[in-house]
Amino acid sequence: MAEGRGPSRRALLGGAGVAVGAAALAGGGFAVGRATASPVQLRQYDFHGEHQSGIVTPAQDRMHFAAFDVTTGSRDELIALLRSWTQAAAVLMTGTELGDGAAGGSPLAPPDDTGDATGLPASGLTITFGFGPSLFFKDGEDRFGIADRQPSQLADLPHFAGDTLEDRLTGGDLCIQACADDPQVAMHAIRNLSRLAFGVASVRWAQLGFGRTSSTTRDQATPRNLMGFKDGTRNLRAEDTDNVARWLWADAADGQEWMAGGTYLVARKLRILAEIWDRASLSEQEATVGRAKGSGAPLSGGNEFTDPDYGRPGADGTPLIPTDSHIALAHPEANGGAMMLRRGYNYTDGADDLGRLDAGLFFLAYVRDPETQYIPMQNAISSKDAMTVEYVRAVGSAMFAVPPGIAAGATLGGDDGAYVGQGLFG
């Protein structure tokens, strides 16, 4: 994923010149760039590439995720939506307004762009699209003539011990993940893409996230989750090219040629029982996680990146890292070496009806095969991991196939333009 420092929306005014249906997608309106934008805010990623953006891209600080129900039964309308989303995403990632902008169009028609990001730079925006199992087959129906192309790796996740899933936070035919270093830019992307879906798809559920909970490149420091611990120390990172090729990207030999270069996304909304966790002693919290809260080092010693020694005993002869700790059950060594690329976010939805903090981790993990890389690990921690069993509740869950990216140089727009997921419908 190529990175550059793009100009502001004003500098890009009129620079795109592509069209979505009746709405032209060219930089427009009265966008005013922020002269005070930081280098991070000016960061810009290419839309085109072998893989979609927002996967191995350095994890940004903010996220807006949305799952959609497709409301049409028309294959042509679904393809038209994917075309319009593709074109719009390419424009939005440059920090440009859609169509004639927020104020440049007809005064008698709704503006082409909502305008809530006018004047803001690209802020490292990435947009990632996915297809849920129900897009292929639902209620006994091959909805769009693609059921025979559903990858065997794409299936509804099983019920895990302790799950308290809410239907309103589960599933979805389509998904969009928008990540940026400005929350308003990420929200603007989802808002405008949702507008383009009117009459074809509607938002089923959505989640705002802040504070990345993992690092996807080696130059990013390991962040902390809302339990106060460093999270994702052993995450798969972009520079680990051999492991990325092995554990992340799908291959035609995996079963579906159209998914070559794509991957699979597991999304789980995990609420932390904060009031209980916050009353646990430091020693109990560390034993539950298996790491020191301050340094992030395993309880067997060393630093954050030292390999855990699960057999090293403490003064009482028992292992320093409890066998039911999170690290002992979730670490790749406990799961046949299987790795995942995590890029989740903290979230808070305020407080519940009892005044308790409604917050936790919006877990996002990209894997080549959920059946072998994610499900065994989740089964283990759901039933045995003290942290997951006692302090975390899964309230939302979904799985999506994330198709490959759009080839560099490919033309977008019109009836012949490239669009995300084109191989599925070709």
Side-chain angles (χ1 to χ4, degrees):
M1 184 57 54
E3 172 189 337
R5 289 184 179 176
S8 69
R9 290 166 190 272
R10 183 173 192 168
L12 283 164
L13 201 111
V18 292
V20 173
L25 290 179
F30 52 82
V32 180
R34 287 186 174 176
T36 58
S38 68
V40 170
Q41 290 174 307
L42 293 174
R43 189 161 50 193
Q44 189 178 119
Y45 296 104
D46 288 341
F47 175 77
H48 290 79
E50 180 181 2
H51 314 293
Q52 288 197 60
S53 65
I55 303 173
V56 295
T57 308
Q60 303 92 326
D61 193 56
R62 305 299 178 112
M63 175 218 68
H64 192 169
F65 187 96
F68 295 79
D69 288 329
V70 175
T71 57
T72 182
S74 167
R75 176 185 169 111
D76 290 342
E77 289 182 354
L78 173 60
I79 292 174
L81 172 62
L82 296 175
R83 287 187 186 278
S84 66
W85 274 359
T86 300
Q87 293 175 259
V91 174
L92 291 167
M93 283 176 56
T94 67
T96 309
E97 293 180 324
L98 298 181
D100 289 326
S106 168
L108 302 178
D112 289 339
D113 190 288
T114 53
D116 40 313
T118 298
L120 298 177
S123 302
L125 174 68
T126 56
I127 298 174
T128 314
F129 299 98
F131 303 151
S134 54
L135 183 71
F136 296 80
F137 197 81
K138 185 177 182 181
D139 298 330
E141 179 185 358
D142 180 359
R143 302 173 68 188
F144 303 103
I146 54 176
D148 62 344
R149 294 194 169 194
Q150 179 173 348
S152 59
Q153 295 84 356
L154 179 65
D156 289 328
L157 290 169
H159 179 87
F160 298 107
D163 276 4
T164 56
L165 303 181
E166 301 177 31
D167 183 63
R168 64 184 182 88
L169 300 173
T170 300
D173 298 329
L174 304 168
C175 78
I176 305 176
Q177 171 198 280
C179 297
D181 288 306
D182 186 322
Q184 197 151 327
V185 171
M187 179 179 175
H188 171 260
I190 293 294
R191 182 180 179 185
N192 281 273
L193 293 170
S194 299
R195 292 179 76 209
L196 292 173
F198 181 76
V200 179
S202 61
V203 174
R204 178 180 177 86
W205 56 272
Q207 185 63 55
L208 290 168
F210 64 94
R212 61 180 175 82
T213 58
S214 58
S215 304
T216 53
T217 60
R218 294 207 173 278
D219 61 354
Q220 291 184 310
T222 307
R224 291 182 185 272
N225 56 32
L226 293 185
M227 300 177 103
F229 280 78
K230 292 187 175 184
D231 205 342
T233 295
R234 286 299 305 270
N235 197 34
L236 187 59
R237 291 174 169 83
E239 294 89 346
D240 305 328
T241 53
D242 289 345
N243 281 328
V244 166
R246 178 180 179 185
W247 298 111
L248 182 60
W249 303 126
D251 187 87
D254 294 347
Q256 290 291 348
E257 187 172 355
W258 68 271
M259 273 296 292
T263 185
Y264 297 90
L265 169 61
V266 175
R268 302 265 292 172
K269 185 172 182 176
L270 307 175
R271 180 176 176 178
I272 296 171
L273 306 182
E275 285 72 16
I276 302 174
W277 176 256
D278 292 345
R279 286 170 173 76
S281 67
L282 175 61
S283 60
E284 180 178 338
Q285 290 185 3
E286 291 185 331
T288 298
V289 175
R291 290 185 179 275
K293 193 166 189 177
S295 67
L299 295 183
S300 54
N303 59 41
E304 179 192 346
F305 298 102
T306 301
D307 288 334
D309 182 352
Y310 300 105
R312 183 176 181 182
D316 63 357
T318 61
L320 287 166
I321 300 177
T323 56
D324 63 348
S325 65
H326 184 68
I327 186 177
L329 293 162
H331 196 278
E333 289 183 13
N335 294 280
M339 303 185 74
M340 301 182 289
L341 189 141
R342 294 175 49 185
R343 53 176 302 137
Y345 288 84
N346 297 315
Y347 80 85
T348 178
D349 293 336
D352 64 15
D353 293 341
L354 298 177
R356 299 172 302 192
L357 182 65
D358 188 352
L361 167 65
F362 190 65
F363 175 93
L364 296 171
Y366 289 89
V367 295
R368 180 173 178 175
D369 184 3
E371 180 70 27
T372 58
Q373 293 172 248
Y374 173 75
I375 292 175
M377 183 278 297
Q378 186 60 47
N379 272 324
I381 67 172
S382 292
S383 58
K384 303 174 184 175
D385 171 14
M387 185 186 81
T388 302
V389 172
E390 298 183 29
Y391 300 106
V392 177
R393 294 291 180 270
V395 296
S397 183
M399 169 112 78
F400 301 93
V402 177
I406 304 291
T411 301
L412 309 180
D415 294 335
D416 297 326
Y419 60 93
V420 67
Q422 188 169 11
L424 171 61
F425 296 94

